[in-house]
């Protein structure tokens, strides 16, 4: 049975945030989505340990603290490094992909151009993590 997830979406693009919310609604999923517009805001959100999400969906290209810097910070923190972090980006740059794997990300998903393809990818990602055994903080 799939469980409801607490998801932290770290994304600076308002259209992408709306697209994620629309997708969750369309799929009739009961997941809770928390938003942070950049890595700095996400780190501030995570300071309150009651906010610890089940998974993090992370964009790479953001102001202040970008996705790779954010990933390095949380993966070096003993209280946060267990959180599965999935990169959700438009960057197909192999250097970014390799760096994210080296840093400890849990997955790398390219945002497709077509909304229907986006919905399918998000459905698969959230379905997988909702049946996966996760560490409860």
């Amino acid at each position: 049975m799939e469980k409801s997830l607490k998801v932290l979406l770290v994304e600076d693009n308002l259209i992408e945030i709306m697209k994620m919310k629309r997708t969750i609604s369309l799929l009739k999923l009961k997941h809770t989505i928390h938003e942070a517009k950049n890595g700095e805001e996400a780190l501030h959100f995570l300071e309150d340990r009651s906010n610890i999400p089940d998974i993090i969906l992370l964009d790479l290209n953001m102001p202040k603290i970008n996705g790779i810097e954010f990933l390095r910070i949380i993966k070096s923190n003993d209280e946060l490094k267990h959180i599965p972090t999935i990169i959700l980006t438009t960057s197909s740059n192999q250097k970014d992909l390799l760096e994210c794997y080296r840093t400890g990300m849990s997955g790398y998903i390219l945002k497709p151009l077509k909304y229907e393809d986006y919905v399918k990818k998000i459905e698969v990602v959230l379905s997988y993590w909702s049946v996966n055994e996760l560490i409860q903080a």
Side-chain angles (χ1 to χ4, degrees), residues 115-126:
Y115 179 68
E116 297 78 22
D117 295 337
Y118 177 87
V119 170
K120 288 176 189 172
K121 283 187 174 190
I122 296 303
E123 183 176 29
V124 169
V125 168
L126 295 178

Side-chain angles (χ1 to χ4, degrees), residues 11 13 28 41 52 58 62 64 74 77 84-85 132:
E11 171 65 65
N13 185 319
K28 297 180 172 60
E41 194 176 300
I52 301 298
L58 176 64
M62 297 179 295
K64 298 187 181 184
I74 65 165
N77 182 312
T85 305
N132 196 45

Side-chain angles (χ1 to χ4, degrees), residues 95-108:
K95 183 180 172 199
D96 287 344
L97 178 63
L98 185 56
E99 185 58 29
C100 288
Y101 271 110
R102 283 187 185 134
T103 308
M105 61 130 191
S106 302
Y108 197 96

